[in-house]
Amino acid sequence: MRFVDIINKKRYNEELTDKEIQFFVDGVTDGSIPDYQVSALLMAIVLNGMNERETSYLAKAMMHSGDVIDLTSIEGIKADKHSTGGVGDKTSMALGPLVAACGLKVAKMSGRGLGHTGGTLDKLESIEGFNCFLTEEEFKKQVSEVGIAIIGQTGDLVPADKKLYALRDVTGTVESIPLIASSIMSKKLASGSDTILLDVKYGEGAFMHTIEDATKLAEAMISIGNSLGRNTMAMITDMNQPLGNTIGNAIEIREAIETLKGHGPKDFTELCMQAAEIMLMQGKVAENKEEARKMLDEVVASGKAFETFKDMVKAQGGNVDMIENPELLPQSKFKTEIKSEESGNVKVLHSERLGVLAMQLGAGRETKEQDVNHAVGLELACKRGDKVNKGDTICIVYHDEELKPQWVDELYHAFELTNEEVAPQPIIEKVLS
Ligand code: URA
């Protein structure tokens, strides 16, 4: 097989066979196909796409390019969830313990943040001693015994994706539904869970800007998951404003704890509860939404959801005192309140801009090599639709260095007010299966 023939086929919008896709993935993994040829095929896929069969086969071939975790030794159905990334997205920290407290086994591998979106591992590492890097055996043991573990990638999972993503990043070939879907799903499939719930975000702070594009990506990922025997569902959710009221690391842990105790922000709580209902039904722990909601309300009211989070933190070496007394979590040196200079209703909260501003405080990283500052971040004192009066605090900034006037100005303009009523928008637009 000559790789140039495969490039030409896709260039002329022809369908690739399983053998040709396998040849591509093998050649990427063992380095036998040069980067310039791989890049040419990637661009042809961006321009001409792939059908369902090609996309599913690509995901399958990528999944098998490295280690595949076998979770069958853990009793029961193992569940996973994945978010396509957002600003203020602390869902795993609340949703995981919620469903684990109801008896579902949660085996979750997460990543670090880059750019305007944060990463679950960075947030969890705000907790002193928290170990994100368990061995495969430790990971399985913890999921069996505690019901949940959230860790970084273990083993050599999907090496083909590492090489492809690095090339896509520098060749303008990231934005392609078959490439994004196969990249995300190959990693989810290799992580070994039986069920997968995808949180596909749309809006300003998301990969997909419109509901239509988010739906197409979700459908491509569901088709991959189901074709490989995993019960896969997706929620299309709003990222036109940050999720919850906090953006940062330690402050997002505090918000997740509040939510597990039943005092979380409305949008974030709603997202977690609806996602948890779906996961409990996928995992056959509950038969229907009503039964699932009843179980969830009970584990919140009894404190079991919060206890499960504490158990996970303890099992992974974290300082549980910080969970019981969140004021012990890293604290910034300074706290500055930003006041509104006008009255009105909040029309827009620019999530991408807020994510970048939080990153510039030190809460995120611009390049993979940077460290994050766990103490700094933003607390939103208003959300879309809220009424704000002149002089009200709109945002609290937690910072370790003096704020630059230009940075404050940009923060101020991330909040847009109007005199008109602002129509409510649901956090979950739709659920797909
Ligand atoms: N996240 C991934 O893991 N892969 C993509 O291609 C895009 C987002």
Side-chain angles (χ1 to χ4, degrees):
M1 215 178 274
R2 290 189 331 147
F3 196 65
V4 66
D5 297 330
I6 298 177
I7 299 172
N8 271 323
K9 247 182 122 173
K10 196 37 86 182
R11 178 189 163 188
Y12 290 110
N13 204 8
E14 288 172 36
E15 197 177 324
L16 302 182
T17 63
D18 291 355
K19 274 200 180 127
E20 287 162 338
I21 295 170
Q22 190 66 54
F23 183 73
F24 165 52
V25 173
D26 289 347
V28 169
T29 311
D30 67 18
S32 59
I33 304 172
D35 285 356
Y36 49 83
Q37 283 192 308
V38 175
S39 306
L41 181 63
L42 288 171
M43 186 56 86
I45 295 171
V46 169
L47 298 176
N48 288 329
M50 276 185 149
N51 65 21
E52 250 181 77
R53 183 202 54 77
E54 288 174 295
T55 308
S56 288
Y57 195 83
L58 177 59
K60 184 175 166 194
M62 285 169 71
M63 162 193 171
H64 287 294
S65 67
D67 296 341
V68 174
I69 311 266
D70 179 2
L71 298 178
T72 49
S73 62
I74 304 168
E75 214 180 296
I77 294 178
K78 277 72 67 182
D80 195 0
K81 57 87 47 180
H82 176 82
S83 156
T84 54
V87 178
D89 190 353
K90 66 228 49 136
T91 312
S92 296
M93 264 89 60
L95 174 57
L98 267 173
V99 293
C102 295
L104 191 60
K105 295 280 190 316
V106 182
K108 169 105 189 82
M109 287 192 199
S110 290
R112 297 201 178 277
L114 188 62
H116 71 278
T117 59
T120 299
L121 301 187
D122 297 317
K123 293 170 199 184
L124 284 167
E125 283 174 352
S126 309
I127 306 163
E128 191 181 59
F130 192 93
N131 178 15
C132 293
F133 292 95
L134 306 184
T135 63
E136 192 178 324
E137 285 321 303
E138 288 167 338
F139 177 56
K140 291 184 197 171
K141 187 166 179 280
Q142 187 177 318
V143 175
S144 284
E145 291 173 1
V146 180
I148 176 170
I150 304 180
I151 62 164
Q153 235 181 52
T154 167
D156 187 20
L157 251 61
V158 198
D161 182 64
K162 291 194 189 93
K163 293 196 180 178
L164 284 175
Y165 201 84
L167 266 184
R168 287 168 60 205
D169 212 17
V170 293
T171 55
T173 52
V174 170
E175 274 159 56
S176 148
I177 286 181
L179 294 179
I180 298 174
S182 54
S183 161
I184 293 176
M185 287 305 289
S186 59
K187 287 174 284 196
K188 290 286 108 185
L189 295 164
S191 317
S193 287
D194 306 301
T195 71
I196 302 166
L197 174 62
L198 302 161
D199 178 358
V200 183
K201 306 215 172 276
Y202 75 89
E204 196 198 287
F207 241 106
M208 296 289 146
H209 291 269
T210 64
I211 293 173
E212 292 69 33
D213 283 347
T215 303
K216 280 186 204 149
L217 177 60
E219 283 170 351
M221 293 196 286
I222 290 171
S223 153
I224 294 171
N226 289 341
S227 75
L228 289 163
R230 313 291 170 95
N231 177 330
T232 309
M233 292 180 70
M235 308 181 296
I236 307 295
T237 69
D238 178 24
M239 193 27 70
N240 275 317
Q241 66 173 348
L243 187 57
N245 297 340
T246 56
I247 308 167
N249 296 291
I251 55 172
E252 291 199 35
I253 294 284
R254 281 206 286 272
E255 195 164 62
I257 291 171
E258 284 303 302
T259 307
L260 286 167
K261 291 179 168 177
H263 314 302
K266 193 163 159 272
D267 62 342
F268 180 56
T269 301
E270 195 48 34
L271 178 76
C272 289
M273 292 303 251
Q274 288 201 39
E277 287 169 10
I278 298 169
M279 285 178 79
L280 292 179
M281 290 188 288
Q282 281 183 301
K284 304 202 184 329
V285 173
E287 273 192 14
N288 52 46
K289 266 166 84 92
E290 293 68 35
E291 189 189 348
R293 183 61 74 120
K294 192 161 169 276
M295 291 172 105
L296 291 161
D297 286 341
E298 272 168 21
V299 295
V300 172
S302 68
K304 194 170 173 200
F306 175 58
E307 287 301 317
T308 305
F309 181 60
K310 265 185 10 195
D311 292 345
M312 177 185 83
V313 168
K314 188 164 174 221
Q316 290 185 236
N319 180 349
V320 178
D321 289 348
M322 286 185 160
I323 306 304
E324 278 165 353
N325 306 296
E327 63 278 11
L328 298 177
L329 285 163
Q331 302 275 348
S332 64
K333 286 193 203 133
F334 311 110
K335 178 178 163 182
T336 301
E337 295 194 12
I338 308 294
K339 310 269 184 197
S340 181
E341 288 163 15
E342 55 188 328
S343 298
N345 299 317
V346 181
K347 182 179 162 206
V348 183
L349 274 178
H350 289 287
S351 32
E352 181 164 1
R353 200 178 301 170
L354 289 163
V356 170
L357 289 163
M359 178 192 79
Q360 289 168 345
L361 283 180
R365 54 171 78 75
E366 217 156 350
T367 62
K368 285 188 192 126
E369 294 69 36
Q370 283 173 339
D371 284 333
V372 301
N373 179 340
H374 293 117
V376 299
L378 302 174
E379 184 174 340
L380 309 171
C382 57
K383 295 287 297 269
R384 190 177 51 219
D386 287 350
K387 169 128 189 62
V388 168
N389 291 314
K390 187 174 172 182
D392 283 354
T393 299
I394 53 171
C395 185
I396 304 169
V397 184
Y398 296 91
H399 54 116
D400 275 352
E401 288 178 15
E402 214 167 297
L403 298 178
K404 296 197 177 80
Q406 195 193 337
W407 185 94
V408 176
D409 192 54
E410 269 194 51
L411 176 68
Y412 189 78
H413 288 99
F415 295 75
E416 272 185 44
L417 304 188
T418 174
N419 289 327
E420 281 156 32
E421 281 292 307
V422 178
Q425 215 172 317
I427 176 77
I428 300 181
E429 183 61 32
K430 56 184 160 179
V431 176
L432 304 170
S433 56

